[in-house]
Amino acid sequence: ILPSITRSVHVMEFVSIRIITDDVARLVAFYEQVTGAPATWGNENFAELPTASGTLALASTRTVPLFGPGAAASGANRSVIIEYLVDDVDAARERLRGVVEDVVTEPTTMPWGNRSFLFRDPDNNLVNLFTPVTPQARQKFGL
């Protein structure tokens, strides 16, 4: 009889999203204003904005060859939305007047119960700041 093999199930831990950009300093300054989180710089080609639940990493296009030629391109994202949970999306919108130039959707309550403010960052990435407002949405986020 063969010994039984115990397999442990390991669920991966989400750590970060990395944006490749032609101008790391510009994007870092933008996201520091949006999030209120100070960036930690690794070097002139890489910075991170950590939060309690994950990190937004920003890297220069000069780093792309390390992953493979053409692996990523600055300003090419049209399928990912970067989302941040905020206490009051309407207050966040007011605070970001003059910072956010490309508004996609002013604060709107979505059918799934979140009030969302969508805009594009300077590299054209879509960003969603949202606040759960219905009981079901609030419960989902433990609020």
Side-chain angles (χ1 to χ4, degrees):
I1 298 178
L2 295 173
S4 66
I5 299 173
T6 304
R7 291 188 174 161
S8 69
V9 176
H10 178 74
V11 177
M12 291 182 211
E13 182 178 346
F14 181 78
V15 176
S16 70
I17 289 178
R18 184 178 313 196
I19 298 174
I20 299 297
T21 181
D22 291 327
D23 190 339
V24 177
R26 177 192 66 182
L27 221 50
V28 164
F30 178 81
Y31 278 103
E32 282 181 326
Q33 288 185 290
V34 168
T35 66
T40 302
W41 286 85
N43 57 47
E44 68 277 0
N45 293 314
F46 184 80
E48 296 177 310
L49 289 101
T51 71
S53 57
T55 298
L56 178 62
L58 304 166
S60 170
T61 50
R62 292 185 294 276
T63 66
V64 172
L66 299 171
F67 305 114
S74 177
N77 172 39
R78 297 300 283 183
S79 63
V80 174
I81 303 172
I82 302 163
E83 298 186 302
Y84 286 95
L85 175 67
V86 298
D87 290 334
D88 182 341
V89 74
D90 293 284
R93 170 61 180 122
E94 288 307 312
R95 180 178 63 79
L96 293 172
R97 285 197 191 278
V99 173
V100 169
E101 295 177 8
D102 189 353
V103 173
V104 175
T105 305
E106 290 288 353
T108 302
T109 302
M110 300 297 181
W112 45 90
N114 293 335
R115 188 156 174 79
S116 294
F117 168 47
L118 287 103
F119 56 90
R120 294 201 179 277
D121 73 13
D123 277 9
N124 211 28
N125 297 296
L126 189 57
V127 180
N128 177 26
L129 305 185
F130 73 95
T131 302
V133 293
T134 65
Q136 185 177 23
R138 292 181 58 75
Q139 181 181 13
K140 175 182 175 183
F141 290 97
L143 302 174

